[in-house]
Amino acid sequence: MTLPVHTAEATPTRPRPGATPARAHLLSDDTVEQYRRAVAAGTDRVARRIAAATGPFTGVRPDELAPQVEAIDLDRPLGDTTAALDELEDVYLRDAVWFHHPRYLAHLNCPVVIPALLGEAVLSAVNSSMDTWDQSAGGTLIERRLIEWTADRIGLGPAADGVFTSGGTQSNLHALLLAREEALAAATPADRRILLPQLRIIASAAGHFSVQKAAKLLGLAPDAVVVVETGPDRRMRPGAVRHEIARCRRAGLPVMAVVATAGTTDFGTIDPLDEIAEVCATAGVWLHVDAAYGCGLLVSPTRRHLLDGIERADSVTVDYHKSFFQPVSSSALVVRDRRTLRHATWHADYLNPARTVAQRIPNQVDKSLQTTRRFDALKLWLTLRVMGPDAVGELFDEVCDRAAQAWELVAADPRFEVLTRSQLSTVVFRWRPSGPGPDLTDAANLRAREALAASGLGVVAGTKVDGRQYLKFTVLNPATTVADVAYVLDLIAEHAGRYLHEHVPAADLTCPVG
Ligand SMILES: Cc1ncc(COP(=O)(O)O)c(C=O)c1O
């Protein structure tokens, strides 16, 4: 083995006599200085990049970056923190997509709060695993307190419980697993085989695709998700839910769950939760509320009422890594009745034997789909302990306000057409020239999005609405100003106009470039 070459930035502590040089890289009482320096060096690189970023992206193309990553021989270590960080600058940091930049307006990625980054640093170094008490101790209790706190904010009642997960996709899968098992609770194994392909989930056309994925993973039929079209406001209609439940039942198809969304991914709309909860209660159907995006309202000083009715859900997905300004990953599934969590329980002799239940030793693996699991809850804990919930809610309120201003701006701009006003922080719009047909308009919008990202001056998302190409701002950065939005709109119009002029004879055009 080659001895590591070290610089002043990351000098190793000498390994104990007789220890291999590789041991110098293990975090131990012998190497705490090296650990401090290495992490500080990494933090310093990121801080410098953040301070220097002039746009959210460099616009690097995969074919430009891939050869550099490919050229690295992973079997020949650099042996040196500084050299590895220099290399990382070239293959990652230089061209990273920066969510802290005010003109990053694309997906549901938030800038992150510093107390959570502190949590990230602590949790990865201690490296607790959240499956059992003997791997996490206080971590188990902290996670439990945060679940209790979240359930209280939702208003789920005294029997509520839940668990942290890797994200909204997992939380939704987990919720639907519990719903499936509740629906089949009384079934014999033979009945299960008959019933499984008959189960139906009612979801909104504006809901998240992870519901479809979950249905597939849960072994349901390919047409198990009954998609309910939304109204023009892009919200699920309670009457349509009632109608579909009745229709399924007439067809002999048991409805195992209704999935309502508090913050649709594209439109930022919130389904009428109270009315849908009423429909579900009357029909005796499990209500899952996907609040992956809208959960930030739980701490909003001014908008909590938008979630009214969520307290009637059987299960709720909350993604702290979307609207609580937490680093990925940080999500939770919270349920009204803790007994339903047993559907994910499996006792393994080596880990969580049944006797640990009798001994009242708390463990989280009994509730989780994962075994080894990060202590992501620590990030939220430090966030609440340093900033407090109101400060997080204020940040979320700010982005909702900014998105409302952005909507006004787009709506008043004759170059653009804008859709439904979001209750959260998205704006769905498109450049609308007069003259060319819908296909060319679609292509111009698509091209404008790509050209904008390639320029590195701004990043926006795209989506299809009723078969046509739209663009989308997701505002999750309180630092984004109306001037940033106006600047990006001008760039979009310029790129789209240029595309059109390159593809349509001038005589057919009535719109100027830009
Ligand atoms: C409403 C909704 N639910 C679920 C998800 C999936 O969450 P994750 O990406 O954390 O898995 C998303 C992601 O954007 C979402 O918007």
Side-chain angles (χ1 to χ4, degrees), residues 107-109 165-172 206-211 260-266 288 290-294 317-319 321-322 328-331 472:
H107 302 287
L108 275 163
N109 310 107
T165 72
S166 62
T169 302
Q170 190 189 339
S171 297
N172 286 346
H208 194 256
F209 71 87
S210 52
V211 172
T261 314
T264 55
T265 316
D266 274 346
H288 175 62
D290 178 356
Y293 176 13
T317 288
V318 286
D319 267 9
H321 64 208
K322 289 185 174 52
V328 177
S329 293
S330 186
S331 174
K472 179 173 68 163

Side-chain angles (χ1 to χ4, degrees), residues 359-502:
Q359 290 171 323
R360 295 189 166 276
I361 299 171
N363 81 53
Q364 297 295 84
V365 73
D366 286 357
K367 308 173 192 176
S368 175
L369 299 186
Q370 294 167 260
T371 307
T372 303
R373 187 162 55 82
R374 286 165 56 83
F375 183 22
D376 284 316
L378 182 62
K379 296 178 284 193
L380 180 61
W381 180 267
L382 283 175
T383 301
L384 296 182
R385 299 312 299 138
V386 174
M387 297 171 61
D390 288 353
V392 177
E394 278 164 29
L395 292 178
F396 194 55
D397 269 358
E398 265 194 80
V399 298
C400 295
D401 289 342
R402 198 74 69 257
Q405 292 165 331
W407 190 93
E408 301 281 354
L409 195 69
V410 186
D413 190 329
R415 297 172 298 177
F416 295 95
E417 160 199 346
V418 66
L419 294 187
T420 329
R421 199 189 268 267
S422 166
Q423 291 159 288
L424 300 176
S425 65
T426 64
V427 183
V428 181
F429 66 99
R430 67 188 202 144
W431 184 69
R432 185 186 49 183
S434 47
D439 290 347
L440 260 176
T441 303
D442 280 357
N445 276 283
L446 200 57
R447 179 65 199 131
R449 179 188 173 204
E450 288 164 2
L452 177 70
S455 75
L457 294 172
V459 187
V460 301
T463 192
K464 286 258 173 97
V465 180
D466 302 329
R468 305 270 47 129
Q469 183 64 48
Y470 279 77
L471 302 174
K472 179 173 68 163
F473 294 145
T474 308
V475 186
L476 275 181
N477 189 348
T480 298
T481 61
V482 174
D484 288 316
V485 174
Y487 179 63
V488 169
L489 285 173
D490 284 346
L491 292 172
I492 290 170
E494 196 180 309
H495 288 302
R498 189 169 303 136
Y499 174 88
L500 220 57
H501 277 266
E502 284 164 10

Side-chain angles (χ1 to χ4, degrees), residues 83-230:
L85 284 172
D86 288 344
E87 184 182 85
L88 195 69
E89 297 261 8
D90 291 340
V91 295
Y92 178 57
L93 291 176
R94 188 189 57 211
D95 297 301
V97 181
W98 295 108
F99 305 146
H100 76 278
H101 195 279
R103 289 195 304 275
Y104 178 82
L105 296 163
H107 302 287
L108 275 163
N109 310 107
C110 52
V112 290
V113 291
I114 294 168
L117 292 176
L118 171 63
E120 190 75 64
V122 173
L123 75 92
S124 60
V126 180
N127 203 23
S128 298
S129 177
M130 298 310 293
D131 31 351
T132 52
W133 173 261
D134 67 356
Q135 299 175 76
S136 64
T140 295
L141 303 179
I142 286 175
E143 175 168 316
R144 287 182 165 212
R145 275 296 304 279
L146 287 169
I147 291 288
E148 248 173 60
W149 176 84
T150 306
D152 276 354
R153 288 262 164 182
I154 298 171
L156 285 179
D161 197 359
V163 71
F164 271 66
T165 72
S166 62
T169 302
Q170 190 189 339
S171 297
N172 286 346
L173 169 66
H174 196 160
L176 292 171
L177 167 77
L178 305 185
R180 184 194 72 180
E181 291 308 301
E182 285 293 300
L184 297 177
T188 63
D191 288 344
R192 267 185 87 95
R193 275 191 291 278
I194 297 166
L195 285 170
L196 197 62
Q198 297 175 350
L199 293 177
R200 292 295 179 266
I201 298 167
I202 294 176
S204 157
H208 194 256
F209 71 87
S210 52
V211 172
Q212 304 278 358
K213 254 193 185 180
K216 196 168 180 178
L217 288 166
L218 292 171
L220 307 185
D223 54 352
V225 181
V226 177
V227 174
V228 173
E229 289 308 321
T230 59

